[in-house]
Amino acid sequence: MLYFSRGVPAHPGCGPIRAGHRKTGVHVILNPYLHFEEHRIYNPLRDESILPGDPRFSLLRDFRAAGSVPTHPESDPVAALRADEWLIGDAEDLSHRFFLKYVSIETHTVCNQGCYFCPVSVARREKYFMPDQLWESILRQLEPYAETIEGISTIQYNEPTVDPRFTTQIRQIKERGLQPAIISNGTGLLPRVVDELMTMGGVRYVSINFSTMDEERYLKERGSKQLSRVLENLRYMKDFQLGQEMDITVLGTGDDRHRRDFEEISAEFGGSCFEVRYFEVMNRAGNLPIGLSPSASGGKLCGCEQTGSRPLQWLHVTAQGKVVFCCQDYYEKYVVGDFNGQSLEEILSGEKFARLRRWSYGVEEAPEKFICRHCVYARRS
């Protein structure tokens, strides 16, 4: 599973805002997929931001606060905002659109740990490895998106280094002009593996999920006696710029013990090639009875703030080739496509994916039990 620091809190007022347009009679609304944040307005379908100081920043915020877009002639700023899809016509449907930025391909289902903050600890899956032919087919289809994809990882709820094909897969990603990312518990990143990856020129991003340097607690929290190996690997790796960005994410429940763990790990690895990050675990959108959870599951959904936007910018592929809507969907309740019979374009622009995007952004009312209603990363108005 991928671990990233949380984004800024969700802000209210993300629903459609309407106005008549004098010349065309078209109703103009705020793009419902915009993220209004304190220090920017972000359009995940363009991967662009408008910042304070830009006249458009105040204008869009005023439209949102007023609940309407004033009627103006085509020559005014409304026309420019429409041209760049910050404003749209009310008949326009953007739910079939996407901006592919991050890809997670779970090349197998095996994890060598059972961490308390992961569903693997309560529902371990049967061993399965993605066939090479399917893997290669997916990579071929991703190649045209090389300019927008920032990272391809081979993890979801598995440990990628368990796969004997791990370094070969990294090489294959690079050979197609794509950017590999490594998210791992660190157990398989042995010195010889690091050396091999360095000879390839490294990767785009390396993130190690870690929790404590206490051997007894490591065993209890992860069901693994591999702490000494992980520390040995990290100590070897810390002076190599294996990734353009590298971090150790210190996981915990936000208590005093978690803070002490963060301080101890920072003392060991701070100042190295790793940036040490503090991360509070969450309840996996209701799949675990521990960690951060939304204060209430009600209210109007207004998008997603987990590393950009999961509905609009991510592709999550299971080892069997299915595409799930979100990384939190451990039990695969929201399958939006299948590479065994569908193309990447068909999946990303298909109605199954589009409907869930509309639900997650409040364009249509989502069912009460919809996954986003139980997720701390869901934006709400």
Side-chain angles (χ1 to χ4, degrees), residues 19-23 59 63 69-79:
H21 201 282
R22 183 173 296 155
K23 279 195 171 184
L59 191 60
F63 292 164
V69 179
T71 301
H72 289 288
E74 287 285 358
S75 60
D76 70 23
V78 170

Side-chain angles (χ1 to χ4, degrees), residues 8-17 30-37 40-45 61 64 294 296-306 308-312 325 355-367 370-381:
V8 297
H11 291 270
C14 301
I17 296 177
L30 275 174
N31 181 337
Y33 297 98
L34 300 183
H35 293 195
F36 281 85
E37 301 169 358
R40 70 170 183 170
I41 302 171
Y42 180 59
N43 186 339
L45 284 170
R61 291 179 71 89
R64 185 180 64 137
S297 59
K300 182 180 175 63
L301 292 173
C302 199
C304 171
E305 61 182 15
Q306 188 177 10
S309 170
R310 298 279 159 164
L312 300 173
F325 177 62
R355 182 176 64 251
L356 299 185
R357 291 182 186 124
R358 295 193 296 269
W359 288 357
S360 64
Y361 274 83
V363 178
E364 295 177 2
E365 187 69 18
F370 182 49
I371 187 171
C372 296
R373 292 198 182 280
H374 306 280
C375 182
V376 296
Y377 294 112
R379 300 166 61 86
R380 293 174 172 82
S381 60

Side-chain angles (χ1 to χ4, degrees), residues 141-211:
Q141 294 181 68
L142 291 172
E143 194 171 350
Y145 296 91
E147 289 190 9
T148 64
I149 295 174
E150 292 192 3
I152 298 177
S153 64
T154 57
I155 186 174
Q156 182 100 325
Y157 287 94
N158 59 324
E159 169 49 43
T161 60
V162 168
D163 197 327
R165 306 168 296 179
F166 172 67
T167 55
T168 298
Q169 290 163 349
I170 297 295
R171 187 183 301 278
Q172 290 170 330
I173 293 171
K174 292 174 70 72
E175 286 173 348
R176 293 198 174 272
L178 298 163
Q179 299 270 22
I182 298 173
I183 297 93
S184 170
N185 59 31
T187 55
L189 289 171
L190 305 169
R192 61 174 175 79
V193 174
V194 172
D195 290 345
E196 183 177 355
L197 294 171
M198 289 296 292
T199 64
M200 299 181 197
V203 300
R204 172 66 180 81
Y205 177 65
V206 178
S207 181
I208 309 298
N209 68 78
F210 200 37
S211 48

